[in-house]
Amino acid sequence: METTRKGYLGIDVGSVSTNLVILDEHAAVVAAVYRRTQGQPIKAVQEGLRELVSQLDEEVEIMGAGATGSARHLTGVITGADIVKNEITAHAVAASQVVPDVNTVLEIGGQDSKLIILDHGIVTDFAMNSVCAAGTGSFLDHQSARLGIPIEEFGDYAATSDSPAHIAGRCSVFAESDMIHKQQVGVAVEDIIYGLCHALVRNYLNNLAKGKDLKSPIVFQGGVAANAGMKRAFEDALETEVIVPAHHNVMGAIGSAILAMELELEPGESNFKGFEVSDLEYQTSSFTCKGCSNTCEVVRIKVDGKTLARWGGRCGKWELQDEGGVERKRKELLTRR
Amino acid sequence: MRVTAPQMGNLHLMLEDLFRRMGVDYVKPPPSSTRTLELGAKYGPEFACLPLKINIGNFIEALEAGADTLVMAGGHGPCRFGYYGIVEERILRDLGYDFRFMMLEPFSDGAWAFYKTFEALSPGLSIRKLWKILKVSFAKARAFDSLYKRALEIRAYEVNRGDTTRALKEAEAVMAAADTREEIEAAAAESMAVIEAVDQDPGRDVLKVGIVGEFYLLLEPFSNFGLEEMLGHKGVYLERSVWVTDWIAPHRKNIIFGYPHRLIEEKAAPYLDQNVGGEGRETVGTTVIFAERGFDGVIQLLPFGCMPENIATSILPRVQQDHDIPVLTLTFDEQTGRAGMVTRVEAFLDLLKARRGSRLQAV
């Protein structure tokens, strides 16, 4: 008897990139999409889903779906995700799947960076950059534009450098003027690029790793991990090997798919609305509730004039959402006790 | 004379009572809103901390509402706060507002000056009468604080989300109406009963989290995006290290937090043996207390650029290690977004649940 292949969907919608994956029952990646969010999270998810389907060579039944990233709630509503989790947890889960005894996760995304410390698969500490972009991917993005070298080629340049230029990386504005100074005195471009990687690593470690013990194995993930110069700079600074997983740029999505898998939903129990959501027209709007002094901004999302969900209020009076699989399961657990 | 003071949590309920007894016409500033903060950020110095900016916004909105006399707490010590009244007055005068400005310096800085400030608000008020008013009004303020403390604990167990907050509103109204000592005592019991009556699920597996940090950030929900209520709704039992009445009278017996200041200093001593201004030492000491009591974690709140709390922040990793308690530090200023805070808090709760190995972990 032939059965349909079973899979788990994970979606990570961040400020810069939107990543989607489908995992099989053994958490192996069946399909993966990495694309830019470009400020349009709904469109990014819809087109991402379409792209994901086009990668499949046979039909896959989605047994569970998870959403993460800064647009996780929105994504959860559109797709009917069974679990909506923050990106720190999602990244930790994914890293422990790839390297089961991982102790440290370095993650650098477009607008934020995270450091996660684990012990036997359990997160024991984490840090996330707060007010400054100097330790994130946009710092490199910005400098690559200034150097006129595509960010994709940064790694190759950095690999050829023997003596990285020392660039003041505490602040991206100062880094820029320092970098121009280095150019003007004739420092080779590959040394400048590798120097920038070092500056970013220094910044990251100063901001996030203060007082923390970074033990091996160390996994480096996020979009910036594609840059071999960054991996090398981390290895120089930490004096140990740093592992970059094959799917380093979609780890958030992998993590949320694993979280969905861990729900162990029965066939048909998932709340996933199907890949057809790519073809629906969503309208989002927001209003300020005048009910009390909190003046919450409430977001509303509609399909064909029908309100699908509302959220954003502190008191819960506007809250409206389809109950996903998790919610049902949680209620079940509560009543069972 | 129409008197106002900055908004801070439920301080207005306490001031309403005090000023009514003194015969002072009190103008309650409109609740802090994004407009309040926008005004404050526009006219306040960029490098000043968040509380100053909200204060300025409160004063402007109260002046718009007809206030003509502004009262601001003073104080001393190595935190900038003692200077804020002076800065705020200067900014508001430069903006062209016409008002009377009064700095209320602490009693310990001089009893006579303390009395004269109140006397200026209520001419002819005798020392004897002021003392009587302060005593009874303070007893009422204690009762308010007790309610808020209990609400933080009960919210974690409420069956219907929002019930505790609603019950608290009702309890506040009961409390606010009390006048004489006897009435205050009766109202305290009655209002507490209102809160206790919230439909609760006592078997719920709740996380216990201690909230520590800078005074204003802890007391004004607007400044921390309603963190306490949000945690309560996620089923987190909370205790907080800072209370208005404990701060006014830290040496009284009936403390709301439950720990005398001397003990807090003692607990902080191995890490920080002197006052560093603000609540720096208290943050360290109370984190130790929460850890020793077996709390799952501690959340520290501070305004960006707060020196005393930054000192505490740099010390907390050692406390965290010695006492094996996770600490999450959250920094706030007018640029801070709620989403970033929520992400960190959610991840922190995941961490705490995982540490506990609770079966709710998967959900």
PDB file of all heavy atoms in Angstrom, chain B residues 224-248:
ATOM      1  N   ASN B 224       7.245  49.759  31.092  1.00  0.00           N
ATOM      2  CA  ASN B 224       7.773  48.416  30.813  1.00  0.00           C
ATOM      3  C   ASN B 224       6.826  47.581  29.955  1.00  0.00           C
ATOM      4  O   ASN B 224       6.870  46.355  29.977  1.00  0.00           O
ATOM      5  CB  ASN B 224       8.145  47.701  32.115  1.00  0.00           C
ATOM      6  CG  ASN B 224       6.950  47.476  33.019  1.00  0.00           C
ATOM      7  OD1 ASN B 224       5.835  47.227  32.550  1.00  0.00           O
ATOM      8  ND2 ASN B 224       7.144  47.541  34.316  1.00  0.00           N
ATOM      9  N   PHE B 225       5.941  48.252  29.225  1.00  0.00           N
ATOM     10  CA  PHE B 225       4.988  47.596  28.326  1.00  0.00           C
ATOM     11  C   PHE B 225       4.090  46.605  29.069  1.00  0.00           C
ATOM     12  O   PHE B 225       3.731  45.557  28.528  1.00  0.00           O
ATOM     13  CB  PHE B 225       5.703  46.860  27.185  1.00  0.00           C
ATOM     14  CG  PHE B 225       6.554  47.741  26.327  1.00  0.00           C
ATOM     15  CD1 PHE B 225       7.934  47.768  26.492  1.00  0.00           C
ATOM     16  CD2 PHE B 225       5.991  48.554  25.365  1.00  0.00           C
ATOM     17  CE1 PHE B 225       8.725  48.585  25.709  1.00  0.00           C
ATOM     18  CE2 PHE B 225       6.779  49.368  24.568  1.00  0.00           C
ATOM     19  CZ  PHE B 225       8.144  49.388  24.739  1.00  0.00           C
ATOM     20  N   GLY B 226       3.740  46.912  30.304  1.00  0.00           N
ATOM     21  CA  GLY B 226       2.834  46.039  31.042  1.00  0.00           C
ATOM     22  C   GLY B 226       3.407  44.649  31.255  1.00  0.00           C
ATOM     23  O   GLY B 226       2.700  43.646  31.182  1.00  0.00           O
ATOM     24  N   LEU B 227       4.700  44.586  31.551  1.00  0.00           N
ATOM     25  CA  LEU B 227       5.398  43.308  31.693  1.00  0.00           C
ATOM     26  C   LEU B 227       4.754  42.399  32.748  1.00  0.00           C
ATOM     27  O   LEU B 227       4.578  41.200  32.527  1.00  0.00           O
ATOM     28  CB  LEU B 227       6.866  43.569  32.052  1.00  0.00           C
ATOM     29  CG  LEU B 227       7.701  42.326  32.355  1.00  0.00           C
ATOM     30  CD1 LEU B 227       7.958  41.547  31.085  1.00  0.00           C
ATOM     31  CD2 LEU B 227       9.027  42.688  33.006  1.00  0.00           C
ATOM     32  N   GLU B 228       4.408  42.983  33.897  1.00  0.00           N
ATOM     33  CA  GLU B 228       3.885  42.148  34.986  1.00  0.00           C
ATOM     34  C   GLU B 228       2.572  41.474  34.589  1.00  0.00           C
ATOM     35  O   GLU B 228       2.372  40.292  34.837  1.00  0.00           O
ATOM     36  CB  GLU B 228       3.678  42.990  36.243  1.00  0.00           C
ATOM     37  CG  GLU B 228       4.977  43.418  36.872  1.00  0.00           C
ATOM     38  CD  GLU B 228       4.784  44.262  38.126  1.00  0.00           C
ATOM     39  OE1 GLU B 228       3.684  44.834  38.312  1.00  0.00           O
ATOM     40  OE2 GLU B 228       5.724  44.363  38.906  1.00  0.00           O
ATOM     41  N   GLU B 229       1.706  42.252  33.969  1.00  0.00           N
ATOM     42  CA  GLU B 229       0.417  41.686  33.561  1.00  0.00           C
ATOM     43  C   GLU B 229       0.632  40.611  32.499  1.00  0.00           C
ATOM     44  O   GLU B 229       0.014  39.545  32.536  1.00  0.00           O
ATOM     45  CB  GLU B 229      -0.478  42.806  33.040  1.00  0.00           C
ATOM     46  CG  GLU B 229      -1.944  42.429  33.045  1.00  0.00           C
ATOM     47  CD  GLU B 229      -2.836  43.587  32.635  1.00  0.00           C
ATOM     48  OE1 GLU B 229      -2.340  44.720  32.482  1.00  0.00           O
ATOM     49  OE2 GLU B 229      -4.043  43.347  32.475  1.00  0.00           O
ATOM     50  N   MET B 230       1.544  40.890  31.575  1.00  0.00           N
ATOM     51  CA  MET B 230       1.822  39.921  30.516  1.00  0.00           C
ATOM     52  C   MET B 230       2.343  38.608  31.104  1.00  0.00           C
ATOM     53  O   MET B 230       1.913  37.523  30.719  1.00  0.00           O
ATOM     54  CB  MET B 230       2.859  40.518  29.566  1.00  0.00           C
ATOM     55  CG  MET B 230       3.195  39.658  28.387  1.00  0.00           C
ATOM     56  SD  MET B 230       4.556  40.381  27.463  1.00  0.00           S
ATOM     57  CE  MET B 230       5.871  39.313  27.949  1.00  0.00           C
ATOM     58  N   LEU B 231       3.258  38.702  32.057  1.00  0.00           N
ATOM     59  CA  LEU B 231       3.796  37.494  32.684  1.00  0.00           C
ATOM     60  C   LEU B 231       2.699  36.766  33.452  1.00  0.00           C
ATOM     61  O   LEU B 231       2.612  35.537  33.413  1.00  0.00           O
ATOM     62  CB  LEU B 231       4.947  37.856  33.625  1.00  0.00           C
ATOM     63  CG  LEU B 231       6.275  38.222  32.954  1.00  0.00           C
ATOM     64  CD1 LEU B 231       7.226  38.855  33.957  1.00  0.00           C
ATOM     65  CD2 LEU B 231       6.917  36.992  32.335  1.00  0.00           C
ATOM     66  N   GLY B 232       1.861  37.534  34.147  1.00  0.00           N
ATOM     67  CA  GLY B 232       0.764  36.937  34.897  1.00  0.00           C
ATOM     68  C   GLY B 232      -0.149  36.138  33.979  1.00  0.00           C
ATOM     69  O   GLY B 232      -0.546  35.015  34.278  1.00  0.00           O
ATOM     70  N   HIS B 233      -0.441  36.727  32.815  1.00  0.00           N
ATOM     71  CA  HIS B 233      -1.310  36.037  31.855  1.00  0.00           C
ATOM     72  C   HIS B 233      -0.658  34.779  31.301  1.00  0.00           C
ATOM     73  O   HIS B 233      -1.330  33.880  30.823  1.00  0.00           O
ATOM     74  CB  HIS B 233      -1.696  36.979  30.716  1.00  0.00           C
ATOM     75  CG  HIS B 233      -2.663  38.041  31.149  1.00  0.00           C
ATOM     76  ND1 HIS B 233      -2.798  39.223  30.480  1.00  0.00           N
ATOM     77  CD2 HIS B 233      -3.515  38.090  32.187  1.00  0.00           C
ATOM     78  CE1 HIS B 233      -3.721  39.960  31.088  1.00  0.00           C
ATOM     79  NE2 HIS B 233      -4.158  39.295  32.129  1.00  0.00           N
ATOM     80  N   LYS B 234       0.650  34.724  31.344  1.00  0.00           N
ATOM     81  CA  LYS B 234       1.345  33.515  30.898  1.00  0.00           C
ATOM     82  C   LYS B 234       1.501  32.522  32.044  1.00  0.00           C
ATOM     83  O   LYS B 234       2.250  31.555  31.943  1.00  0.00           O
ATOM     84  CB  LYS B 234       2.739  33.881  30.336  1.00  0.00           C
ATOM     85  CG  LYS B 234       2.677  34.619  29.002  1.00  0.00           C
ATOM     86  CD  LYS B 234       4.082  34.897  28.504  1.00  0.00           C
ATOM     87  CE  LYS B 234       4.087  35.770  27.268  1.00  0.00           C
ATOM     88  NZ  LYS B 234       3.499  35.129  26.077  1.00  0.00           N
ATOM     89  N   GLY B 235       0.823  32.796  33.160  1.00  0.00           N
ATOM     90  CA  GLY B 235       0.871  31.876  34.290  1.00  0.00           C
ATOM     91  C   GLY B 235       2.171  31.941  35.058  1.00  0.00           C
ATOM     92  O   GLY B 235       2.711  30.921  35.465  1.00  0.00           O
ATOM     93  N   VAL B 236       2.690  33.147  35.266  1.00  0.00           N
ATOM     94  CA  VAL B 236       3.917  33.302  36.044  1.00  0.00           C
ATOM     95  C   VAL B 236       3.592  34.021  37.361  1.00  0.00           C
ATOM     96  O   VAL B 236       3.021  35.108  37.355  1.00  0.00           O
ATOM     97  CB  VAL B 236       4.989  34.098  35.264  1.00  0.00           C
ATOM     98  CG1 VAL B 236       6.255  34.249  36.096  1.00  0.00           C
ATOM     99  CG2 VAL B 236       5.293  33.408  33.946  1.00  0.00           C
ATOM    100  N   TYR B 237       3.963  33.376  38.453  1.00  0.00           N
ATOM    101  CA  TYR B 237       3.786  33.950  39.783  1.00  0.00           C
ATOM    102  C   TYR B 237       4.896  34.955  39.998  1.00  0.00           C
ATOM    103  O   TYR B 237       6.068  34.649  39.794  1.00  0.00           O
ATOM    104  CB  TYR B 237       3.865  32.812  40.809  1.00  0.00           C
ATOM    105  CG  TYR B 237       3.970  33.203  42.257  1.00  0.00           C
ATOM    106  CD1 TYR B 237       2.863  33.116  43.101  1.00  0.00           C
ATOM    107  CD2 TYR B 237       5.183  33.609  42.810  1.00  0.00           C
ATOM    108  CE1 TYR B 237       2.957  33.443  44.440  1.00  0.00           C
ATOM    109  CE2 TYR B 237       5.286  33.947  44.149  1.00  0.00           C
ATOM    110  CZ  TYR B 237       4.171  33.867  44.958  1.00  0.00           C
ATOM    111  OH  TYR B 237       4.269  34.183  46.276  1.00  0.00           O
ATOM    112  N   LEU B 238       4.512  36.176  40.410  1.00  0.00           N
ATOM    113  CA  LEU B 238       5.504  37.245  40.504  1.00  0.00           C
ATOM    114  C   LEU B 238       5.624  37.826  41.899  1.00  0.00           C
ATOM    115  O   LEU B 238       4.629  37.981  42.604  1.00  0.00           O
ATOM    116  CB  LEU B 238       5.121  38.393  39.561  1.00  0.00           C
ATOM    117  CG  LEU B 238       5.155  38.147  38.063  1.00  0.00           C
ATOM    118  CD1 LEU B 238       4.642  39.378  37.348  1.00  0.00           C
ATOM    119  CD2 LEU B 238       6.564  37.834  37.607  1.00  0.00           C
ATOM    120  N   GLU B 239       6.844  38.158  42.259  1.00  0.00           N
ATOM    121  CA  GLU B 239       7.064  39.017  43.408  1.00  0.00           C
ATOM    122  C   GLU B 239       8.020  40.094  42.950  1.00  0.00           C
ATOM    123  O   GLU B 239       8.900  39.851  42.133  1.00  0.00           O
ATOM    124  CB  GLU B 239       7.646  38.232  44.589  1.00  0.00           C
ATOM    125  CG  GLU B 239       6.587  37.417  45.295  1.00  0.00           C
ATOM    126  CD  GLU B 239       7.071  36.797  46.596  1.00  0.00           C
ATOM    127  OE1 GLU B 239       7.947  37.396  47.253  1.00  0.00           O
ATOM    128  OE2 GLU B 239       6.573  35.723  46.950  1.00  0.00           O
ATOM    129  N   ARG B 240       7.820  41.283  43.527  1.00  0.00           N
ATOM    130  CA  ARG B 240       8.593  42.429  43.073  1.00  0.00           C
ATOM    131  C   ARG B 240       9.355  42.998  44.261  1.00  0.00           C
ATOM    132  O   ARG B 240       8.844  42.991  45.380  1.00  0.00           O
ATOM    133  CB  ARG B 240       7.609  43.448  42.517  1.00  0.00           C
ATOM    134  CG  ARG B 240       8.211  44.615  41.811  1.00  0.00           C
ATOM    135  CD  ARG B 240       7.392  45.851  42.024  1.00  0.00           C
ATOM    136  NE  ARG B 240       6.160  45.892  41.258  1.00  0.00           N
ATOM    137  CZ  ARG B 240       5.133  46.654  41.620  1.00  0.00           C
ATOM    138  NH1 ARG B 240       5.173  47.374  42.706  1.00  0.00           N
ATOM    139  NH2 ARG B 240       4.046  46.674  40.892  1.00  0.00           N
ATOM    140  N   SER B 241      10.557  43.482  44.008  1.00  0.00           N
ATOM    141  CA  SER B 241      11.403  43.919  45.123  1.00  0.00           C
ATOM    142  C   SER B 241      11.112  45.341  45.574  1.00  0.00           C
ATOM    143  O   SER B 241      11.496  45.736  46.660  1.00  0.00           O
ATOM    144  CB  SER B 241      12.871  43.822  44.702  1.00  0.00           C
ATOM    145  OG  SER B 241      13.123  44.718  43.636  1.00  0.00           O
ATOM    146  N   VAL B 242      10.444  46.131  44.738  1.00  0.00           N
ATOM    147  CA  VAL B 242      10.271  47.551  45.042  1.00  0.00           C
ATOM    148  C   VAL B 242       8.799  47.914  45.194  1.00  0.00           C
ATOM    149  O   VAL B 242       7.983  47.540  44.355  1.00  0.00           O
ATOM    150  CB  VAL B 242      10.893  48.407  43.907  1.00  0.00           C
ATOM    151  CG1 VAL B 242      10.484  49.857  44.045  1.00  0.00           C
ATOM    152  CG2 VAL B 242      12.403  48.285  43.909  1.00  0.00           C
ATOM    153  N   TRP B 243       8.473  48.602  46.271  1.00  0.00           N
ATOM    154  CA  TRP B 243       7.110  49.080  46.508  1.00  0.00           C
ATOM    155  C   TRP B 243       7.160  50.522  46.970  1.00  0.00           C
ATOM    156  O   TRP B 243       8.057  50.893  47.720  1.00  0.00           O
ATOM    157  CB  TRP B 243       6.408  48.205  47.556  1.00  0.00           C
ATOM    158  CG  TRP B 243       6.239  46.819  47.033  1.00  0.00           C
ATOM    159  CD1 TRP B 243       7.101  45.771  47.192  1.00  0.00           C
ATOM    160  CD2 TRP B 243       5.176  46.342  46.209  1.00  0.00           C
ATOM    161  NE1 TRP B 243       6.637  44.668  46.519  1.00  0.00           N
ATOM    162  CE2 TRP B 243       5.454  44.998  45.915  1.00  0.00           C
ATOM    163  CE3 TRP B 243       4.024  46.922  45.685  1.00  0.00           C
ATOM    164  CZ2 TRP B 243       4.617  44.221  45.118  1.00  0.00           C
ATOM    165  CZ3 TRP B 243       3.190  46.154  44.906  1.00  0.00           C
ATOM    166  CH2 TRP B 243       3.476  44.819  44.625  1.00  0.00           C
ATOM    167  N   VAL B 244       6.169  51.311  46.547  1.00  0.00           N
ATOM    168  CA  VAL B 244       6.171  52.737  46.890  1.00  0.00           C
ATOM    169  C   VAL B 244       6.278  52.928  48.397  1.00  0.00           C
ATOM    170  O   VAL B 244       7.111  53.685  48.888  1.00  0.00           O
ATOM    171  CB  VAL B 244       4.887  53.440  46.379  1.00  0.00           C
ATOM    172  CG1 VAL B 244       4.912  54.910  46.777  1.00  0.00           C
ATOM    173  CG2 VAL B 244       4.776  53.324  44.883  1.00  0.00           C
ATOM    174  N   THR B 245       5.436  52.230  49.157  1.00  0.00           N
ATOM    175  CA  THR B 245       5.408  52.495  50.598  1.00  0.00           C
ATOM    176  C   THR B 245       6.658  51.964  51.309  1.00  0.00           C
ATOM    177  O   THR B 245       7.078  52.538  52.298  1.00  0.00           O
ATOM    178  CB  THR B 245       4.131  51.927  51.235  1.00  0.00           C
ATOM    179  OG1 THR B 245       3.999  50.557  50.872  1.00  0.00           O
ATOM    180  CG2 THR B 245       2.905  52.685  50.784  1.00  0.00           C
ATOM    181  N   ASP B 246       7.232  50.899  50.797  1.00  0.00           N
ATOM    182  CA  ASP B 246       8.497  50.421  51.373  1.00  0.00           C
ATOM    183  C   ASP B 246       9.583  51.476  51.171  1.00  0.00           C
ATOM    184  O   ASP B 246      10.451  51.679  52.008  1.00  0.00           O
ATOM    185  CB  ASP B 246       8.978  49.129  50.679  1.00  0.00           C
ATOM    186  CG  ASP B 246       8.198  47.920  51.142  1.00  0.00           C
ATOM    187  OD1 ASP B 246       7.368  48.061  52.056  1.00  0.00           O
ATOM    188  OD2 ASP B 246       8.414  46.826  50.584  1.00  0.00           O
ATOM    189  N   TRP B 247       9.503  52.140  50.041  1.00  0.00           N
ATOM    190  CA  TRP B 247      10.512  53.128  49.689  1.00  0.00           C
ATOM    191  C   TRP B 247      10.364  54.372  50.570  1.00  0.00           C
ATOM    192  O   TRP B 247      11.350  54.933  51.034  1.00  0.00           O
ATOM    193  CB  TRP B 247      10.350  53.485  48.213  1.00  0.00           C
ATOM    194  CG  TRP B 247      11.363  54.454  47.693  1.00  0.00           C
ATOM    195  CD1 TRP B 247      12.677  54.212  47.440  1.00  0.00           C
ATOM    196  CD2 TRP B 247      11.144  55.818  47.366  1.00  0.00           C
ATOM    197  NE1 TRP B 247      13.287  55.353  46.975  1.00  0.00           N
ATOM    198  CE2 TRP B 247      12.371  56.339  46.913  1.00  0.00           C
ATOM    199  CE3 TRP B 247      10.013  56.652  47.390  1.00  0.00           C
ATOM    200  CZ2 TRP B 247      12.504  57.668  46.502  1.00  0.00           C
ATOM    201  CZ3 TRP B 247      10.149  57.970  46.978  1.00  0.00           C
ATOM    202  CH2 TRP B 247      11.384  58.461  46.537  1.00  0.00           C
ATOM    203  N   ILE B 248       9.087  54.770  50.797  1.00  0.00           N
ATOM    204  CA  ILE B 248       8.859  55.944  51.640  1.00  0.00           C
ATOM    205  C   ILE B 248       9.319  55.658  53.065  1.00  0.00           C
ATOM    206  O   ILE B 248       9.947  56.479  53.705  1.00  0.00           O
ATOM    207  CB  ILE B 248       7.361  56.341  51.626  1.00  0.00           C
ATOM    208  CG1 ILE B 248       6.960  56.781  50.212  1.00  0.00           C
ATOM    209  CG2 ILE B 248       7.080  57.445  52.635  1.00  0.00           C
ATOM    210  CD1 ILE B 248       5.480  57.018  50.031  1.00  0.00           C
TER     211      ILE B 248
END
